[in-house]
């Protein structure tokens, strides 16, 4: 069954994940302990042999080989190979989960568009939704070992109530070399068309809606079948497996603690137990075991999908929706906030502090705007004469609506730089502020008479630039 620990990590706390480290079911310890024990035993055999059973010349040869292996293991790109592979496996695992066929949308459409309170109407709704569940059972029967063990043959599917004996005969009479999970979907479409002719489905729009939902359901069944058919290329899985196993095979020799030798200061400490090598094995081999577990989530591992529970749930809720809940509505009443303009649901004492938090209105809602009638006045874009530097043109950067360097350098018609002190300026200007004035319309007309090829700007724009003195 799937191991759920969502409630344990609902709130972030000190060492929150540490509580999860002591679980056994679904843990990495349960998945890796056999390989971990084998690695420790093999390492111990090499260590004991080197220390107690080799001659002096053999020890020298072993030390040279161990030093060579330790240096060459860094050439194996473990992090890159494993990281890319596990990422691919996790994405594939999640896509398979999101494509498990669920009847929730389809059962709502059937319940609202296939009408009739008589036995015929009830039979139509129940048969339609049963066909949808049957297609899901057939595809899971083909890809899931749990479902296969639950329904070893189609006779068990008939005994479970997903199919009648007549439907089984019809199903077996239709010969095909390929998987026939799609046959109940075809039965669904023909039965829906018959209900439309009988007037149980009132219009073609409702029939189209019913067919669209069925096609989505069938597409998910088809996608699961293709995920089971088309695996990750075998060569990629082999490369990753060989990389991990060969890396730690060389580590069995290369990570041995050697006797102290001149020129090898790192050999002066003998821990007997290679702590960091064991941690490296735990991480890398554990990474590979994670990919091995979730590469096919329709098996019987601890974290594989609970397909049998899904089958039970889908059949129960779909029959409940199209049969017991058909036109079985509670009476309408005025809600609690009928005479109130603003609904304010109550809070418990445990959540009362949330009422003091302001509502989020946008990231710029509290931004302070410049209170200046000149800067806030709206003008046309063509009224500004802007010149974009050559570098910005190549970078496709929009021109800045400020004063150009050419205008700033002109002495008569350009921007005038005046020092304004607090005693001779308006109340909006402060001391030691630089007052920038763009050319007025009259100056622009004079400038156009001298340089008719250049366009003029209209209006006056003032800018306050604080100046530190």
């Amino acid at each position: 069954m799937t191991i759920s620990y969502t409630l344990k990590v609902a709130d972030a706390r000190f060492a929150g994940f540490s509580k999860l480290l002591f679980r056994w079911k679904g843990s990495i310890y349960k998945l890796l302990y056999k390989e971990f024990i084998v690695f420790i035993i093999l390492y111990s055999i090499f260590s004991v042999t080197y220390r107690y059973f080799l001659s002096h010349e053999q020890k020298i040869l072993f030390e040279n080989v161990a030093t060579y292996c330790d240096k060459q293991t860094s050439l194996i790109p473990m992090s890159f190979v494993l990281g890319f592979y596990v990422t691919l496996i996790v994405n594939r695992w999640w896509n398979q989960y999101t494509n498990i066929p669920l009847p929730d949308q389809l059962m709502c459409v059937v319940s609202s568009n296939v009408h009739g309170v008589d036995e015929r109407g009830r039979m139509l709704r129940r048969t339609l939704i049963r066909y949808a569940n049957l297609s899901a059972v057939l595809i899971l029967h083909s890809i899931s070992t749990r479902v296969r063990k639950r329904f070893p043959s189609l006779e068990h599917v008939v005994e479970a109530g997903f199919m009648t004996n007549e439907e089984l005969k019809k199903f077996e009479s239709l010969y095909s070399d390929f998987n026939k999970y799609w046959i109940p979907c075809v039965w669904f479409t023909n039965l829906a068309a018959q209900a439309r002719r009988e007037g149980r489905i009132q219009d073609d729009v409702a029939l189209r809606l019913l067919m669209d939902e069925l096609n989505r359901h069938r597409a998910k069944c088809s996608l699961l079948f293709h995920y089971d058919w088309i695996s990750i290329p075998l060569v990629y899985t082999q490369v990753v497996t060989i990389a991990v196993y060969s890396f730690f095979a060389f580590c069995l020799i290369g990570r041995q603690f050697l006797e102290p030798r001149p020129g090898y200061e790192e050999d002066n400490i003998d821990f007997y137990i290679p702590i960091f090598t064991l941690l490296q094995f735990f991480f890398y081999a554990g990474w590979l075991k994670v990919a091995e577990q979730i590469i096919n989530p329709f098996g019987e591992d601890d974290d594989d999908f609970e397909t049998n529970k899904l089958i039970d749930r889908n059949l129960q809720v779909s029959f409940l929706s199209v049969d017991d809940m058909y036109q079985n509505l509670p009476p309408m009443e005025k809600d609690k906030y009928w005479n109130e303009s603003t609904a304010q649901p109550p809070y418990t004492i445990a959540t009362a502090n949330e009422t003091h938090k302001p509502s989020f209105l946008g990231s710029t809602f509290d931004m302070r705007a410049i209170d200046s009638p000149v800067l806030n006045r709206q003008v046309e874009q063509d009224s500004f004469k802007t010149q974009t530097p050559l570098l910005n043109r190549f970078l496709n950067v929009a021109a800045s609506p400020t004063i150009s360097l050419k205008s700033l350098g002109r002495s008569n018609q350009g921007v005038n730089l005046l020092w304004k002190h607090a005693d001779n300026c308006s109340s909006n200007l402060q001391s030691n502020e630089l007052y920038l004035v763009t050319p007025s319309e009259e100056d622009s007309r004079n400038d156009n008479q001298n340089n008719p090829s250049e366009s003029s700007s209209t209006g006056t724009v003032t800018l306050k630039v604080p100046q530190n003195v």
Side-chain angles (χ1 to χ4, degrees):
M1 60 179 297
T2 303
I3 307 301
S4 179
Y5 56 89
T6 308
L7 181 61
K8 301 296 182 181
V9 294
D11 299 320
R13 57 176 64 91
F14 175 73
F17 283 173
S18 61
K19 297 181 179 179
L20 304 177
L21 300 179
F22 301 99
R23 292 191 173 192
W24 174 255
K25 192 171 185 179
S27 64
I28 188 61
Y29 320 119
K30 181 180 179 181
L31 200 63
L32 189 63
Y33 78 95
K34 295 180 181 179
E35 288 85 351
F36 194 73
I37 293 175
V38 170
F39 182 80
I40 293 177
I41 293 174
L42 292 177
Y43 184 91
S44 301
I45 292 175
F46 279 102
S47 179
V48 172
T49 303
Y50 164 72
R51 295 172 187 272
Y52 301 105
F53 295 99
L54 296 182
S55 63
H56 179 70
E57 292 76 10
Q58 291 174 338
K59 284 186 177 181
I60 294 177
L61 178 60
F62 183 87
E63 291 168 358
N64 293 331
V65 174
T67 304
Y68 177 79
C69 291
D70 188 33
K71 291 180 179 179
Q72 299 303 318
T73 50
S74 60
L75 299 178
I76 302 177
M78 290 288 295
S79 299
F80 172 76
V81 173
L82 266 177
F84 189 80
Y85 183 73
V86 173
T87 301
L88 181 63
I89 294 295
V90 171
N91 291 334
R92 178 185 173 90
W93 168 80
W94 181 250
N95 289 334
Q96 290 183 77
Y97 173 74
T98 56
N99 283 283
I100 293 177
L102 300 176
D104 296 59
Q105 295 181 346
L106 183 59
M107 69 187 186
C108 293
V109 176
V110 171
S111 180
S112 60
N113 290 283
V114 182
H115 301 284
V117 294
D118 55 347
E119 184 178 355
R120 173 66 177 174
R122 181 187 178 191
M123 186 179 298
L124 281 173
R125 289 188 299 274
R126 291 180 67 93
T127 304
L128 287 172
I129 203 65
R130 183 170 57 82
Y131 285 161
N133 282 281
L134 177 59
S135 64
V137 169
L138 291 178
I139 192 61
L140 292 176
H141 178 265
S142 303
I143 66 176
S144 175
T145 57
R146 294 184 180 185
V147 179
R148 188 75 177 189
K149 289 182 178 180
R150 182 181 181 183
F151 306 114
S153 64
L154 292 179
E155 285 74 15
H156 292 81
V157 177
V158 174
E159 292 180 4
F162 292 96
M163 183 187 293
T164 64
N165 290 319
E166 294 298 326
E167 291 169 353
L168 177 60
K169 294 178 181 179
K170 181 68 69 175
F171 185 87
E172 292 178 342
S173 65
L174 299 171
Y175 173 77
S176 177
D177 292 331
F178 304 98
N179 196 307
K180 297 188 292 185
Y181 67 90
W182 46 269
I183 289 181
C185 296
V186 179
W187 291 346
F188 184 103
T189 58
N190 286 281
L191 187 60
Q194 183 178 349
R196 174 70 182 96
R197 290 191 296 268
E198 295 177 2
R200 302 286 181 170
I201 301 177
Q202 295 182 353
D203 51 36
D204 294 337
V205 177
L207 180 62
R208 173 63 183 275
L209 180 61
L210 196 63
M211 294 301 180
D212 289 342
E213 291 299 333
L214 175 68
N215 286 331
R216 295 189 185 95
H217 182 84
R218 184 206 57 79
K220 290 185 175 182
C221 294
S222 177
L223 193 57
L224 285 184
F225 177 75
H226 285 84
Y227 268 119
D228 185 67
W229 183 15
I230 308 298
S231 303
I232 292 178
L234 179 62
V235 292
Y236 196 8
T237 303
Q238 289 176 338
V239 167
V240 175
T241 305
I242 292 174
V244 174
Y245 287 173
S246 61
F247 177 83
F248 288 106
F250 288 114
C251 285
L252 290 174
I253 300 176
R255 301 295 175 84
Q256 292 288 337
F257 288 101
L258 306 177
E259 294 180 355
R261 296 177 297 168
Y264 293 89
E265 291 76 8
E266 65 274 9
D267 297 338
N268 292 333
I269 302 178
D270 192 353
F271 287 108
Y272 292 94
I273 300 175
I275 299 177
F276 290 100
T277 301
L278 294 179
L279 287 176
Q280 196 173 27
F281 180 86
F282 188 82
F283 298 147
Y284 284 156
W287 216 354
L288 182 65
K289 295 297 289 186
V290 169
E292 179 183 336
Q293 183 181 31
I294 67 177
I295 191 172
N296 181 13
F298 294 99
E300 298 180 83
D301 294 327
D302 289 339
D303 274 319
D304 285 343
F305 301 149
E306 299 182 49
T307 48
N308 284 325
K309 287 294 183 180
L310 283 172
I311 290 174
D312 297 341
R313 179 260 177 196
N314 292 343
L315 184 65
Q316 185 181 43
V317 300
S318 58
F319 276 161
L320 182 65
S321 175
V322 301
D323 192 4
D324 296 343
M325 296 183 63
Y326 176 72
Q327 293 188 357
N328 185 13
L329 302 175
M332 290 191 300
E333 298 179 0
K334 293 182 179 180
D335 58 81
K336 181 179 180 179
Y337 309 101
W338 180 267
N339 296 321
E340 300 180 11
S341 59
T342 303
Q344 293 291 342
Y347 284 78
T348 59
I349 297 178
T351 59
N353 292 332
E354 297 182 10
T355 60
H356 302 290
K357 300 178 181 179
S359 301
F360 180 75
L361 301 177
S363 58
T364 63
F365 183 77
D366 294 329
M367 189 179 72
R368 297 180 60 185
I370 301 176
D371 188 11
S372 174
V374 177
L375 294 180
N376 294 334
R377 182 166 59 91
Q378 295 182 351
V379 295
E380 298 293 335
Q381 293 184 3
D382 296 338
S383 61
F384 294 103
K385 181 174 67 175
T386 60
Q387 297 184 8
T388 306
L390 182 61
L391 180 59
N392 288 348
R393 293 180 183 178
F394 285 109
L395 297 177
N396 294 326
V397 178
S400 176
T402 57
I403 303 169
S404 63
L405 294 177
K406 182 178 179 180
S407 299
L408 186 63
R410 293 159 61 183
S411 58
N412 295 327
Q413 290 82 10
V415 178
N416 299 319
L417 304 178
L418 302 177
W419 286 101
K420 296 293 183 180
H421 297 280
D423 55 350
N424 57 359
C425 64
S426 60
S427 58
N428 291 331
L429 295 177
Q430 301 297 331
S431 179
N432 297 333
E433 291 189 21
L434 189 62
Y435 189 66
L436 305 182
V437 184
T438 62
S440 62
E441 295 183 2
E442 182 178 358
D443 295 334
S444 299
R445 287 194 297 269
N446 294 335
D447 182 64
N448 289 338
Q449 292 177 1
N450 297 330
N451 300 296
S453 61
E454 298 182 0
S455 60
S456 63
S457 61
T458 61
T460 301
V461 178
T462 61
L463 299 176
K464 295 188 298 179
V465 181
Q467 188 75 14
N468 295 328
V469 181

